[in-house]
Amino acid sequence: MKNVLVIGSTGQIGSELTMKLRREIPEGQIVAGYIPGAEPKGILLESGPSEIADVRDGKQLAAIVDRYQVDTIYNLAALLSAVAEKKPLLAWDIQMNGLLNILEVAREKEVAVFTPSSIGSFGPETPKIDTPQDTIQRPRSMYGVTKVATELLSDYYFHKFGVDTRSVRFPGLISNVTLPGGGTTDYAVDIFYSAVKGEEFVCPIAAGTFMDMMYMPDALKAAVELMQADPYRLVHRNSFNVASMSLDPETLAGKIRSRIPGFRMRYEVDPVREEIAQSWPDKMDDSCARAEWGWAPAYDLDLMTDDMIVSLRNKFGMQQGRFD
Ligand code: AKB
């Protein structure tokens, strides 16, 4: 991996992944792909090349691949689960027609492709505890439908055409740089912003609804390490369960309250998000990722909580002091 196109570089994952790749591959060209209206700014704009890269325009993608001799594409263009329920046709267009364009470019130009899947690829019939790597995937949300189809299409291009496609099933991602938008797991980010600002948090997910979550540094590590993994060790490709912590709103609020005792939370459950969350695993088994490419997360719930609070206080120019 040397010259990389990150599609969706200004989103929650892309903004941090692009910078990590630029730091770790200084000899390469890491192109920040974006769509008009979501232009890169600041350090993301200044630290390397950027190009309009709309997944719905295959010719545009092919031209970028040629111009920068791209060998790897990170395809991070997607509508998240709650917003995809409101705009299912647009979600299909971006997630499926977009993926097909990328895979065709990859086939013609011998480019490796990472397209994330998600806990959203599972459904109500999936075993909820220690969800196996290979199991029932019958999601009921449009987001989930596109994620299962992404896994299948990516595997098809690998088996049929030898395209080097790889993927992980991301849990809800918790980060302090770029906010997520329209996901079911967004509450696990928003709760920290409220807590650090001293505001009451209104939680859209019910107490007792457990989902896998992951801190962004681990998610980026997974995305990079999988693309660097020895292909001969990979039994699976699209897509690997990766996990680091499983929590519900009460667990997370309790961890925050042990550091910020005045933190207040009440519930106003959003039925759309709650129904989606109920259909997702409580906790995935990620033993295949561990065995096939050495996956190991660095952050547990306590380390993540400490780091989120410190980072957000820095971001807002607040005093650190003790956790109170
Ligand atoms: C969402 O909530 O839609 C995403 C996901 C788990 O894929 N964060």
Side-chain angles (χ1 to χ4, degrees):
M1 179 158 61
K2 184 170 168 230
N3 298 327
V4 182
L5 170 60
V6 181
I7 296 175
S9 68
T10 58
Q12 190 201 14
I13 305 174
S15 56
E16 293 191 58
L17 180 64
T18 306
M19 295 308 299
K20 178 182 170 81
L21 292 170
R22 285 180 179 164
R23 279 193 304 274
E24 292 182 3
I25 316 175
E27 70 284 10
Q29 301 241 56
I30 313 299
V31 184
Y34 65 95
I35 50 167
E39 287 80 5
K41 296 190 181 74
I43 187 78
L44 187 59
L45 177 67
E46 287 148 22
S47 58
S50 50
E51 295 281 348
I52 296 179
D54 188 330
V55 287
R56 291 166 295 180
D57 185 343
K59 284 199 181 119
Q60 188 180 68
L61 301 179
I64 299 171
V65 168
D66 286 343
R67 192 171 314 138
Y68 295 92
Q69 298 189 330
V70 166
D71 54 56
T72 306
I73 294 176
Y74 280 92
N75 168 24
L76 306 176
L79 295 191
L80 294 185
S81 52
V83 80
E85 281 311 281
K86 291 199 185 115
K87 300 178 183 173
L89 299 187
L90 183 60
W92 182 269
D93 197 25
I94 293 172
Q95 267 114 270
M96 299 320 308
N97 296 333
L99 175 64
L100 203 54
N101 287 333
I102 291 168
L103 291 172
E104 273 300 293
V105 171
R107 180 176 68 80
E108 280 167 19
K109 300 183 184 293
E110 297 187 18
V111 172
V113 181
F114 175 94
T115 307
S117 184
S118 158
I119 51 173
S121 68
F122 298 113
E125 294 90 4
T126 305
K128 279 178 109 48
I129 309 288
D130 293 330
T131 305
Q133 170 66 40
D134 301 310
T135 186
I136 303 164
Q137 288 180 281
R138 304 286 295 176
R140 303 261 175 95
S141 68
M142 178 50 105
Y143 180 69
V145 169
T146 64
K147 287 300 173 190
V148 177
T150 291
E151 294 186 10
L152 293 172
L153 196 58
S154 299
D155 266 347
Y156 177 80
Y157 267 72
F158 170 66
H159 291 296
K160 183 87 179 176
F161 304 119
V163 177
D164 187 359
T165 55
R166 307 181 190 192
S167 170
V168 297
R169 294 180 184 131
F170 276 136
L173 299 182
I174 300 175
S175 63
N176 51 61
V177 176
T178 306
L179 284 167
T184 300
T185 58
D186 293 7
Y187 90 87
V189 178
D190 299 337
I191 192 172
F192 281 100
Y193 280 75
S194 297
V196 165
K197 289 178 182 165
E199 294 166 359
E200 180 184 53
F201 180 62
V202 181
C203 188
I205 298 295
T209 301
F210 279 80
M211 287 182 276
D212 277 300
M213 299 283 173
M214 182 176 288
Y215 199 30
M216 187 59 86
D218 278 333
L220 303 180
K221 184 166 118 85
V224 173
E225 286 181 0
L226 176 57
M227 293 314 279
Q228 291 172 333
D230 177 356
Y232 296 102
R233 282 184 64 198
L234 300 181
V235 180
H236 298 85
R237 278 180 168 263
N238 301 285
S239 176
F240 283 96
N241 287 359
V242 284
S244 59
M245 59 189 92
S246 163
L247 52 92
D248 82 321
E250 285 299 308
T251 316
L252 190 50
K255 287 290 174 192
I256 293 173
R257 212 169 279 125
S258 68
R259 284 127 172 116
I260 305 176
F263 172 61
R264 287 165 298 123
M265 177 170 85
R266 68 183 167 83
Y267 290 93
E268 252 177 46
V269 173
D270 169 3
V272 174
R273 283 185 164 84
E274 181 61 23
E275 190 183 346
I276 294 174
Q278 289 284 347
S279 74
W280 289 357
D282 288 6
K283 181 180 170 298
M284 288 186 289
D285 169 7
D286 61 1
S287 50
C288 289
R290 290 173 187 266
E292 292 174 37
W293 48 279
W295 159 246
Y299 286 86
D300 63 12
L301 180 53
D302 281 300
L303 283 176
M304 179 277 290
T305 304
D306 288 345
D307 203 60
M308 275 299 281
I309 293 172
V310 168
S311 302
L312 286 180
R313 282 179 174 164
N314 276 338
K315 185 170 178 165
F316 297 127
M318 293 168 160
Q319 278 205 325
Q320 289 297 343
R322 291 167 39 234
F323 279 122
D324 54 5

